[in-house]
């Protein structure tokens, strides 16, 4: 009896063919010709426009963000965009990048990096409930087998081995930005995925290798319209609890009055999102990109950037030194630790720890206990038992009960306090104090 052509036949073939993936199911839609920004159709019948529709259907976009045809210099990036807190889309920012040829194939990625551990976010949606986003560490090869079928997307600290094949954008190769690199992340998904509406307390340079990404970008002053949950008080980072795929306009009526701008990125484009900006990202097709977070600073210095003459004899910056060409050639505060986000061991050393604390302050006047707790809990996840964050912070303050440190306080921390903090971060315990023996 002949078997009909269909999923049963497919399952049998997959099971019998050696080396073939055993994943059986329907791959997600890979189309990339989605209309964005959407055309708003009035709901009528007293129903708010965009009710239970994706974010962006509630109000027309105020327009595109600024665009530029090439990667700006470090100085221009600061003066034109970061200093004035202006997002910008950078077209054709990635040129002559070998990864844009090699990484086009999942086979290559599996062969080169399949054994590495990565962090994968799994989206779970229960009926009539807000979606849950759960993070899991798994082998990259497992993700590559399943991501075309499952509601999975990869957001992981980039392993050092992968960093050697990804470019360090020229504007970050010198100056203050190079000294304030916070972390580098790899993003990968398939078939139309959507991020939360969120913000970072650091500047974000996001570059697309493959696929298409649509950005909804909103000024941070409107965060109260979205039930925004901060990572810690006055952090500038956090996320909205709103379901961006089905916005409940009775629960979030102010969305209809919130202006927003948009940007669409394709292969080779980058976008700069200044610290604090609220944004939501939708990815289409086989989407693969990387982002670099770098921290705000009180001052900017590009004196170490080389100066050259351009073709029209104008002075132009040549970003960085020749050896700073890949992501692996830079130092970050947070790095990959076998699939986990971990504090760089170098940053725990006493010689750098004082500058680490100043880096964490960014442009704030004070470093509060609540912010230290957020940093401390992230840095100490590998320990099952550890000193309380409040006790460690108290070790750094001169006044009992004081809940903040100033810049001067941190700059003038004693060597003993810095060494003690270093030991806690490295070993999960306070230094053992040896009492002097009293001779009778």
């Amino acid at each position: 009896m002949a078997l009909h052509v269909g999923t049963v036949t497919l399952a049998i073939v997959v099971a019998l063919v050696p080396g073939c993936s055993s994943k059986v199911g329907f791959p997600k839609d890979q189309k990339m010709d989605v209309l964005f920004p959407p055309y708003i159709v009035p709901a009528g019948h007293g129903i708010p426009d965009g009710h239970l529709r994706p974010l962006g259907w509630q109000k027309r976009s105020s327009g595109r963000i600024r665009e530029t045809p090439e990667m700006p210099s470090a100085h221009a990036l600061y003066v034109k965009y970061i200093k004035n807190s202006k997002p910008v889309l950078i077209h054709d920012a990635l040129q002559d990048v070998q990864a844009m040829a090699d990484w086009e194939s999942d086979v290559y990625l599996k062969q080169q990096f399949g054994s590495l551990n990565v962090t994968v976010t799994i989206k779970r949606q229960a009926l009539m409930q807000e979606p849950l986003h759960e993070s899991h560490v798994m082998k990259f090869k497992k993700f590559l087998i399943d991501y075309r079928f499952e509601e999975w997307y990869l957001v992981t600290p980039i392993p050092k081995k992968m960093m050697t094949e990804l470019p360090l954008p020229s504007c970050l190769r010198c100056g203050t930005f190079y000294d304030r690199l916070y972390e580098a992340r790899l993003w990968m998904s398939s078939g139309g995925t959507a991020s939360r509406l969120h913000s970072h307390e650091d500047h974000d340079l996001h570059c697309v290798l493959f696929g298409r990404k649509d950005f909804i970008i909103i000024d941070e002053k409107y965060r109260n319209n979205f039930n925004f949950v901060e990572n810690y008080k006055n952090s500038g980072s956090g996320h909205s609890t709103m379901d961006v795929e089905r916005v409940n306009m009775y629960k979030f009526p102010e969305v209809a009055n919130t202006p927003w701008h948009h940007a669409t990125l394709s292969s080779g484009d980058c976008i700069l999102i200044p610290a604090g900006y609220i944004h939501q990202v939708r990815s289409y097709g086989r989407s693969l990109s990387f982002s670099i977070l770098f921290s705000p600073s009180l001052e900017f210095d590009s004196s170490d950037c080389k100066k050259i003459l351009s073709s029209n004899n104008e002075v132009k910056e040549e970003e960085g030194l020749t050896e700073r060409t890949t992501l692996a050639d830079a130092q970050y505060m947070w790095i990959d630790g076998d699939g986990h986000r971990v504090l760089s061991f170098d940053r725990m050393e006493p010689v750098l720890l004082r500058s680490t604390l100043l880096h964490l302050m960014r442009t704030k006047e004070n470093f509060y206990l609540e912010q230290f707790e957020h940093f401390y809990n992230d840095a100490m996840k590998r320990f099952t038992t550890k000193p309380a964050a409040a006790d460690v912070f108290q070790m750094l303050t001169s006044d009992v009960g004081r809940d903040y440190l100033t810049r001067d306080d941190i700059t003038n921390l004693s060597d003993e306090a810095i060494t003690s903090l270093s030991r806690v971060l490295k070993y999960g315990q306070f230094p053992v104090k040896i009492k002097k023996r009293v001779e009778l």
Side-chain angles (χ1 to χ4, degrees), residues 389-427:
D391 292 339
V392 179
F393 191 79
Q394 186 62 57
M395 178 183 69
L396 304 177
T397 62
S398 56
D399 301 327
V400 176
R402 189 176 176 196
D403 66 348
Y404 70 93
L405 293 168
T406 66
R407 289 184 182 276
D408 287 343
D409 289 335
I410 294 176
T411 301
N412 297 320
L413 280 174
S414 68
D415 291 342
E416 180 182 3
I418 287 293
T419 301
S420 297
L421 177 58
S422 174
R423 181 174 179 83
V424 172
L425 293 174
K426 287 181 180 179
Y427 309 114

Short mmCIF file of all heavy atoms in Angstrom, two decimals, residues 389-427:
data_model
loop_
_atom_site.label_atom_id
_atom_site.label_comp_id
_atom_site.label_asym_id
_atom_site.label_seq_id
_atom_site.Cartn_x
_atom_site.Cartn_y
_atom_site.Cartn_z
N ALA A 389 24.23 42.24 50.38
CA ALA A 389 24.69 43.42 49.64
C ALA A 389 24.81 44.63 50.55
O ALA A 389 25.74 45.43 50.43
CB ALA A 389 23.75 43.70 48.49
N ALA A 390 23.85 44.79 51.47
CA ALA A 390 23.87 45.95 52.37
C ALA A 390 25.11 45.93 53.27
O ALA A 390 25.70 46.98 53.55
CB ALA A 390 22.61 45.97 53.22
N ASP A 391 25.53 44.74 53.69
CA ASP A 391 26.73 44.64 54.53
C ASP A 391 27.99 44.98 53.75
O ASP A 391 28.91 45.63 54.27
CB ASP A 391 26.84 43.22 55.10
CG ASP A 391 25.74 42.90 56.10
OD1 ASP A 391 25.15 43.85 56.66
OD2 ASP A 391 25.47 41.71 56.33
N VAL A 392 28.03 44.55 52.50
CA VAL A 392 29.20 44.86 51.66
C VAL A 392 29.25 46.36 51.37
O VAL A 392 30.31 46.98 51.43
CB VAL A 392 29.14 44.05 50.35
CG1 VAL A 392 30.33 44.40 49.46
CG2 VAL A 392 29.11 42.56 50.63
N PHE A 393 28.09 46.93 51.10
CA PHE A 393 28.04 48.38 50.82
C PHE A 393 28.45 49.18 52.05
O PHE A 393 29.15 50.18 51.94
CB PHE A 393 26.64 48.77 50.37
CG PHE A 393 26.54 50.17 49.82
CD1 PHE A 393 26.93 50.44 48.52
CD2 PHE A 393 26.05 51.21 50.60
CE1 PHE A 393 26.85 51.73 48.01
CE2 PHE A 393 25.96 52.49 50.09
CZ PHE A 393 26.36 52.75 48.79
N GLN A 394 28.02 48.72 53.23
CA GLN A 394 28.36 49.41 54.47
C GLN A 394 29.86 49.43 54.69
O GLN A 394 30.41 50.39 55.24
CB GLN A 394 27.67 48.73 55.64
CG GLN A 394 27.83 49.45 56.97
CD GLN A 394 27.21 50.85 56.95
OE1 GLN A 394 26.03 51.00 56.67
NE2 GLN A 394 28.01 51.86 57.23
N MET A 395 30.53 48.38 54.19
CA MET A 395 31.99 48.30 54.31
C MET A 395 32.66 49.45 53.54
O MET A 395 33.78 49.88 53.88
CB MET A 395 32.45 46.95 53.76
CG MET A 395 33.95 46.71 53.75
SD MET A 395 34.31 45.11 53.00
CE MET A 395 33.85 45.44 51.28
N LEU A 396 31.96 49.96 52.50
CA LEU A 396 32.53 51.00 51.67
C LEU A 396 32.22 52.41 52.17
O LEU A 396 32.84 53.38 51.71
CB LEU A 396 32.01 50.87 50.22
CG LEU A 396 32.24 49.52 49.54
CD1 LEU A 396 31.60 49.52 48.16
CD2 LEU A 396 33.73 49.21 49.44
N THR A 397 31.26 52.54 53.05
CA THR A 397 30.86 53.86 53.53
C THR A 397 31.53 54.19 54.84
O THR A 397 31.87 53.32 55.63
CB THR A 397 29.33 53.94 53.71
OG1 THR A 397 28.93 53.00 54.70
CG2 THR A 397 28.61 53.65 52.41
N SER A 398 31.67 55.48 55.07
CA SER A 398 32.31 55.91 56.32
C SER A 398 31.30 56.16 57.42
O SER A 398 31.65 56.19 58.60
CB SER A 398 33.11 57.20 56.06
OG SER A 398 32.26 58.20 55.51
N ASP A 399 30.02 56.35 57.04
CA ASP A 399 28.98 56.65 58.03
C ASP A 399 28.02 55.48 58.15
O ASP A 399 27.52 54.95 57.15
CB ASP A 399 28.19 57.90 57.61
CG ASP A 399 29.07 59.12 57.48
OD1 ASP A 399 30.05 59.21 58.25
OD2 ASP A 399 28.79 59.95 56.60
N VAL A 400 27.71 55.07 59.36
CA VAL A 400 26.77 53.98 59.61
C VAL A 400 25.38 54.38 59.11
O VAL A 400 24.87 55.46 59.41
CB VAL A 400 26.71 53.64 61.11
CG1 VAL A 400 25.66 52.57 61.37
CG2 VAL A 400 28.08 53.18 61.61
N GLY A 401 24.76 53.49 58.32
CA GLY A 401 23.42 53.74 57.82
C GLY A 401 23.34 54.57 56.56
O GLY A 401 22.26 54.76 56.00
N ARG A 402 24.46 55.07 56.08
CA ARG A 402 24.45 55.88 54.86
C ARG A 402 24.17 54.99 53.65
O ARG A 402 24.76 53.91 53.52
CB ARG A 402 25.80 56.57 54.71
CG ARG A 402 25.85 57.62 53.62
CD ARG A 402 27.21 58.28 53.63
NE ARG A 402 27.35 59.25 52.54
CZ ARG A 402 28.52 59.72 52.15
NH1 ARG A 402 29.62 59.34 52.76
NH2 ARG A 402 28.59 60.58 51.15
N ASP A 403 23.29 55.45 52.74
CA ASP A 403 22.86 54.59 51.63
C ASP A 403 23.37 55.08 50.27
O ASP A 403 22.82 54.71 49.24
CB ASP A 403 21.34 54.47 51.59
CG ASP A 403 20.66 55.80 51.26
OD1 ASP A 403 21.34 56.84 51.29
OD2 ASP A 403 19.45 55.78 50.97
N TYR A 404 24.43 55.88 50.24
CA TYR A 404 24.97 56.31 48.96
C TYR A 404 26.45 56.64 49.09
O TYR A 404 26.97 56.89 50.18
CB TYR A 404 24.22 57.54 48.42
CG TYR A 404 24.46 58.81 49.20
CD1 TYR A 404 25.47 59.69 48.82
CD2 TYR A 404 23.70 59.12 50.32
CE1 TYR A 404 25.71 60.85 49.54
CE2 TYR A 404 23.92 60.27 51.05
CZ TYR A 404 24.93 61.14 50.65
OH TYR A 404 25.17 62.28 51.37
N LEU A 405 27.14 56.65 47.93
CA LEU A 405 28.52 57.09 47.84
C LEU A 405 28.61 58.18 46.78
O LEU A 405 27.95 58.09 45.74
CB LEU A 405 29.44 55.92 47.44
CG LEU A 405 29.62 54.78 48.44
CD1 LEU A 405 30.31 53.60 47.76
CD2 LEU A 405 30.42 55.24 49.65
N THR A 406 29.40 59.19 47.01
CA THR A 406 29.65 60.21 46.01
C THR A 406 30.84 59.78 45.15
O THR A 406 31.55 58.81 45.47
CB THR A 406 29.95 61.56 46.65
OG1 THR A 406 31.20 61.47 47.37
CG2 THR A 406 28.84 61.96 47.61
N ARG A 407 31.11 60.52 44.09
CA ARG A 407 32.29 60.25 43.26
C ARG A 407 33.57 60.39 44.07
O ARG A 407 34.50 59.58 43.95
CB ARG A 407 32.33 61.18 42.05
CG ARG A 407 31.27 60.89 41.02
CD ARG A 407 31.39 61.77 39.79
NE ARG A 407 30.29 61.44 38.90
CZ ARG A 407 30.31 60.45 38.03
NH1 ARG A 407 31.39 59.69 37.93
NH2 ARG A 407 29.27 60.20 37.26
N ASP A 408 33.61 61.41 44.89
CA ASP A 408 34.80 61.61 45.72
C ASP A 408 34.96 60.45 46.71
O ASP A 408 36.09 60.02 46.99
CB ASP A 408 34.71 62.93 46.48
CG ASP A 408 34.94 64.14 45.58
OD1 ASP A 408 35.47 63.95 44.47
OD2 ASP A 408 34.56 65.26 45.97
N ASP A 409 33.84 59.97 47.25
CA ASP A 409 33.92 58.83 48.18
C ASP A 409 34.58 57.64 47.50
O ASP A 409 35.45 56.97 48.09
CB ASP A 409 32.51 58.43 48.65
CG ASP A 409 31.89 59.44 49.59
OD1 ASP A 409 32.66 60.19 50.25
OD2 ASP A 409 30.65 59.50 49.67
N ILE A 410 34.15 57.36 46.27
CA ILE A 410 34.69 56.20 45.56
C ILE A 410 36.15 56.43 45.19
O ILE A 410 37.00 55.54 45.34
CB ILE A 410 33.84 55.91 44.30
CG1 ILE A 410 32.43 55.47 44.71
CG2 ILE A 410 34.51 54.84 43.43
CD1 ILE A 410 31.48 55.26 43.55
N THR A 411 36.46 57.62 44.72
CA THR A 411 37.84 57.94 44.35
C THR A 411 38.78 57.80 45.55
O THR A 411 39.94 57.37 45.40
CB THR A 411 37.93 59.37 43.79
OG1 THR A 411 37.08 59.48 42.64
CG2 THR A 411 39.35 59.72 43.40
N ASN A 412 38.27 58.14 46.73
CA ASN A 412 39.12 58.13 47.93
C ASN A 412 38.95 56.88 48.79
O ASN A 412 39.41 56.86 49.94
CB ASN A 412 38.81 59.37 48.77
CG ASN A 412 39.15 60.66 48.04
OD1 ASN A 412 40.17 60.74 47.35
ND2 ASN A 412 38.29 61.66 48.16
N LEU A 413 38.31 55.84 48.26
CA LEU A 413 38.18 54.60 49.01
C LEU A 413 39.57 54.08 49.39
O LEU A 413 40.51 54.12 48.58
CB LEU A 413 37.45 53.54 48.20
CG LEU A 413 35.92 53.64 48.14
CD1 LEU A 413 35.35 52.61 47.16
CD2 LEU A 413 35.30 53.45 49.52
N SER A 414 39.70 53.58 50.60
CA SER A 414 40.99 53.08 51.07
C SER A 414 41.36 51.80 50.32
O SER A 414 40.50 51.08 49.81
CB SER A 414 40.93 52.78 52.57
OG SER A 414 40.06 51.69 52.83
N ASP A 415 42.65 51.52 50.26
CA ASP A 415 43.11 50.29 49.63
C ASP A 415 42.53 49.07 50.33
O ASP A 415 42.24 48.04 49.70
CB ASP A 415 44.65 50.23 49.67
CG ASP A 415 45.29 51.27 48.75
OD1 ASP A 415 44.58 51.77 47.86
OD2 ASP A 415 46.49 51.58 48.95
N GLU A 416 42.35 49.17 51.65
CA GLU A 416 41.80 48.04 52.42
C GLU A 416 40.35 47.76 51.99
O GLU A 416 39.96 46.61 51.80
CB GLU A 416 41.84 48.35 53.91
CG GLU A 416 41.27 47.22 54.77
CD GLU A 416 41.27 47.55 56.25
OE1 GLU A 416 41.66 48.70 56.61
OE2 GLU A 416 40.87 46.69 57.05
N ALA A 417 39.55 48.83 51.82
CA ALA A 417 38.16 48.65 51.41
C ALA A 417 38.06 48.06 50.00
O ALA A 417 37.26 47.16 49.74
CB ALA A 417 37.42 49.98 51.47
N ILE A 418 38.89 48.55 49.08
CA ILE A 418 38.89 48.04 47.71
C ILE A 418 39.32 46.58 47.68
O ILE A 418 38.72 45.74 46.98
CB ILE A 418 39.82 48.90 46.82
CG1 ILE A 418 39.17 50.25 46.54
CG2 ILE A 418 40.13 48.19 45.52
CD1 ILE A 418 37.93 50.18 45.67
N THR A 419 40.35 46.24 48.44
CA THR A 419 40.83 44.86 48.48
C THR A 419 39.76 43.93 49.07
O THR A 419 39.56 42.81 48.60
CB THR A 419 42.13 44.76 49.31
OG1 THR A 419 43.12 45.60 48.72
CG2 THR A 419 42.65 43.33 49.35
N SER A 420 39.07 44.41 50.11
CA SER A 420 38.02 43.60 50.72
C SER A 420 36.87 43.37 49.74
O SER A 420 36.34 42.26 49.63
CB SER A 420 37.50 44.29 51.98
OG SER A 420 38.51 44.40 52.96
N LEU A 421 36.46 44.41 49.00
CA LEU A 421 35.40 44.26 48.00
C LEU A 421 35.83 43.30 46.90
O LEU A 421 35.04 42.47 46.44
CB LEU A 421 35.05 45.62 47.40
CG LEU A 421 33.99 45.62 46.29
CD1 LEU A 421 32.68 45.02 46.78
CD2 LEU A 421 33.77 47.02 45.74
N SER A 422 37.08 43.38 46.49
CA SER A 422 37.61 42.48 45.48
C SER A 422 37.50 41.03 45.93
O SER A 422 37.09 40.15 45.15
CB SER A 422 39.07 42.83 45.16
OG SER A 422 39.64 41.89 44.29
N ARG A 423 37.83 40.77 47.18
CA ARG A 423 37.76 39.40 47.69
C ARG A 423 36.32 38.90 47.71
O ARG A 423 36.04 37.73 47.38
CB ARG A 423 38.37 39.33 49.08
CG ARG A 423 38.34 37.91 49.65
CD ARG A 423 39.05 37.78 50.97
NE ARG A 423 38.95 36.41 51.47
CZ ARG A 423 39.75 35.41 51.09
NH1 ARG A 423 40.71 35.63 50.20
NH2 ARG A 423 39.59 34.20 51.57
N VAL A 424 35.38 39.75 48.10
CA VAL A 424 33.97 39.35 48.13
C VAL A 424 33.51 38.97 46.72
O VAL A 424 32.86 37.94 46.52
CB VAL A 424 33.09 40.47 48.71
CG1 VAL A 424 31.61 40.12 48.55
CG2 VAL A 424 33.42 40.70 50.17
N LEU A 425 33.84 39.81 45.74
CA LEU A 425 33.41 39.55 44.38
C LEU A 425 34.05 38.30 43.79
O LEU A 425 33.44 37.57 43.01
CB LEU A 425 33.72 40.75 43.49
CG LEU A 425 32.94 42.03 43.80
CD1 LEU A 425 33.46 43.19 42.95
CD2 LEU A 425 31.45 41.84 43.55
N LYS A 426 35.29 38.04 44.18
CA LYS A 426 36.00 36.88 43.64
C LYS A 426 35.62 35.57 44.33
O LYS A 426 35.44 34.54 43.67
CB LYS A 426 37.51 37.08 43.79
CG LYS A 426 38.13 38.09 42.84
CD LYS A 426 39.64 38.14 43.11
CE LYS A 426 40.33 39.13 42.20
NZ LYS A 426 41.79 39.19 42.48
N TYR A 427 35.50 35.63 45.66
CA TYR A 427 35.37 34.39 46.43
C TYR A 427 34.07 34.26 47.21
O TYR A 427 33.81 33.24 47.85
CB TYR A 427 36.56 34.24 47.39
CG TYR A 427 37.89 34.41 46.72
CD1 TYR A 427 38.72 35.50 47.01
CD2 TYR A 427 38.33 33.50 45.75
CE1 TYR A 427 39.94 35.67 46.38
CE2 TYR A 427 39.55 33.66 45.12
CZ TYR A 427 40.35 34.75 45.44
OH TYR A 427 41.56 34.91 44.81
#
